[in-house]
């Protein structure tokens, strides 16, 4: 890597007023929907879930129902991360991976546990970076897993140094063309990029009220479906697999809406998914 951690001052990492506002949001974020779920097994995610939930969690003693729901949502979120890792291709212990927008580190830690490889995570939230590094230390994997206060639009890592890169619900905070230019630089020839993201449906025209509500809630700018493929193509990243995960994520949101950790954004997600104005996609692309 060509940039030292001491050089990564706030001024170097946070380039715009918008990036500063996003960093402030995540530095202050302490939502139970992230923290209580992570306390189940010290694996902290900042994304959503996949698959049907077990309806039995809603049955049984009322005094333990909320905990059962928390555990089930965490299971679905971990399942989502597993689906992402399934699409990284062949990863060997000597490979280096990048988690772009790594949050509190859950997917990076899972990647190291599965492949035995080295993983660097980057985030513009200093709070998230510190939290994730503490998690890596608790698991005794700091020799392989590290988190850095860096901007994923310009990471400072060496050209061609990554076998695989992923973004898990983070691309809505950046310009896709600039982002994929950086990823094309970082990936070795034939390396794999995997993205899981929510995107607006071009077929329905401009973004819906529900999608706009999601943007407002998370201080983000959701891209259209077509924008992803235009930006990938412009930077030599060729899709090998595209999976529509929309139907598979709806049960997670339905369960979350019934829990005490709901944040109020659940209705907007459910409306957007069910009306077809919003898609939940996995895109896997190879560097050529």
């Amino acid at each position: 890597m060509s940039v030292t951690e001491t050089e990564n001052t706030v001024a170097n990492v946070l380039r715009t007023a918008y990036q500063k506002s996003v960093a402030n949001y995540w530095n202050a974020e302490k939502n139970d929907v992230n923290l209580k779920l992570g306390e189940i097994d010290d694996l902290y995610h900042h994304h959503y879930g996949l698959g049907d939930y077990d309806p039995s969690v809603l049955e049984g003693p009322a005094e333990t129902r909320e905990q059962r729901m928390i555990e089930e949502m965490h299971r679905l979120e971990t399942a989502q991360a597993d689906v992402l890792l399934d699409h990284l291709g062949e990863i060997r212990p000597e490979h280096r991976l990048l988690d772009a927008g790594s949050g509190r580190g859950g997917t990076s830690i899972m990647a190291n546990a599965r492949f035995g490889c080295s993983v660097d995570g980057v985030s513009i939230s200093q709070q998230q970076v510190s939290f994730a590094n503490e998690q890596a230390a608790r698991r005794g994997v700091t020799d392989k897993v590290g988190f850095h206060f860096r901007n994923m639009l310009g990471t400072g890592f060496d050209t061609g140094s990554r076998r695989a890169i992923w973004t898990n619900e983070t691309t809505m905070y950046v310009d896709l063309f600039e982002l994929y230019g950086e990823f094309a630089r970082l990936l070795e020839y034939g390396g794999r990029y995997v993205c899981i993201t929510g995107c607006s449906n071009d077929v329905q025209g401009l973004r819906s009220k529900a999608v706009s509500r999601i943007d407002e809630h998370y201080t983000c700018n959701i891209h259209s479906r077509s924008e992803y493929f235009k930006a990938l193509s412009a930077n030599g990243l060729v899709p090998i697999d595209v999976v529509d995960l929309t139907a598979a994520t709806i049960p997670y949101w339905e369960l979350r809406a019934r829990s005490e950790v709901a944040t109020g954004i659940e209705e907007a997600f459910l409306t957007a998914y069910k009306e077809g104005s919003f898609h939940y996609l996995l895109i896997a692309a190879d560097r050529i």
Side-chain angles (χ1 to χ4, degrees):
M1 59 188 71
S2 57
V3 176
T4 64
E5 298 306 312
T6 56
E7 291 174 326
N8 289 318
T9 64
V10 172
N12 287 336
V13 175
L14 304 179
R15 304 172 179 179
T16 66
Y18 172 70
Q19 290 176 1
K20 291 175 184 176
S21 70
V22 172
N24 288 338
Y25 174 90
W26 288 110
N27 282 333
E29 183 274 330
K30 294 181 181 179
N31 287 333
D32 283 346
V33 74
N34 292 318
L35 295 174
K36 283 191 174 181
L37 273 63
E39 289 169 359
I40 300 299
D41 57 4
D42 271 348
L43 198 61
Y44 290 82
H45 300 302
H46 273 274
H47 57 253
Y48 311 128
L50 287 179
D52 292 329
Y53 65 83
D54 182 353
S56 70
V57 301
L58 301 175
E59 304 166 359
E63 60 270 19
T64 58
R65 181 175 301 132
E66 185 63 24
Q67 183 62 23
R68 293 195 301 274
M69 295 170 70
I70 292 290
E71 292 174 359
E72 186 67 353
M73 282 188 286
H74 183 64
R75 183 185 69 81
L76 297 178
E77 288 189 344
T78 300
Q80 189 261 32
D82 274 324
V83 168
L84 187 154
L85 297 178
D86 288 344
H87 285 80
L88 289 179
E90 181 184 356
I91 304 296
R92 299 191 298 271
E94 65 269 24
H95 286 148
R96 298 190 67 86
L97 277 54
L98 176 66
D99 183 352
S102 47
R104 288 188 169 97
T107 309
S108 293
I109 289 170
M110 288 176 63
N112 166 259
R114 181 190 288 206
F115 303 117
C117 60
S118 296
V119 186
D120 289 293
V122 296
S123 172
I124 61 173
S125 166
Q126 292 171 303
Q127 187 275 335
Q128 288 184 346
V129 169
S130 296
F131 187 100
N133 276 322
E134 289 173 3
Q135 292 302 304
R138 289 177 63 176
R139 291 173 179 267
V141 295
T142 53
D143 60 325
K144 289 277 194 173
V145 182
F147 300 92
H148 315 270
F149 178 56
R150 301 189 184 191
N151 193 316
M152 61 181 168
L153 296 176
T155 63
F157 293 123
D158 291 341
T159 298
S161 63
R162 304 293 141 166
R163 178 60 189 173
I165 299 172
W166 71 83
T167 52
N168 200 351
E169 299 174 9
T170 59
T171 48
M172 60 286 297
Y173 290 102
V174 295
D175 178 89
L176 292 179
F177 287 84
E178 187 176 359
L179 179 71
Y180 292 158
E182 172 69 350
F183 288 178
R185 182 188 72 81
L186 291 170
L187 283 168
E188 63 181 57
Y189 182 81
R192 175 71 53 83
Y193 165 62
V194 177
C195 169
I196 292 183
T197 188
C199 54
S200 61
N201 182 4
D202 308 76
V203 175
Q204 293 198 359
L206 298 176
R207 68 189 60 198
S208 68
K209 182 182 292 187
V211 172
S212 296
R213 174 73 183 91
I214 296 168
D215 268 347
E216 179 185 6
H217 182 85
Y218 289 110
T219 318
C220 65
N221 182 29
I222 291 166
H223 302 291
S224 67
R225 180 164 41 126
S226 64
E227 194 77 358
Y228 280 92
F229 295 99
K230 291 175 184 176
L232 289 167
S233 177
N235 289 285
L237 296 168
V238 180
I240 190 172
D241 204 3
V242 179
V243 185
D244 185 355
L245 300 172
T246 307
T249 198
I250 287 175
Y252 164 85
W253 287 100
E254 290 176 335
L255 182 62
R256 176 167 152 173
R258 302 178 67 167
S259 75
E260 293 179 1
V261 298
T263 62
I265 198 60
E266 291 77 16
E267 182 180 352
F269 273 91
L270 287 168
T271 297
Y273 284 139
K274 291 179 179 180
E275 73 185 7
S277 66
F278 196 45
H279 296 304
Y280 197 50
L281 290 188
L282 180 148
I283 306 169
D286 289 341
R287 173 74 170 95
I288 61 168

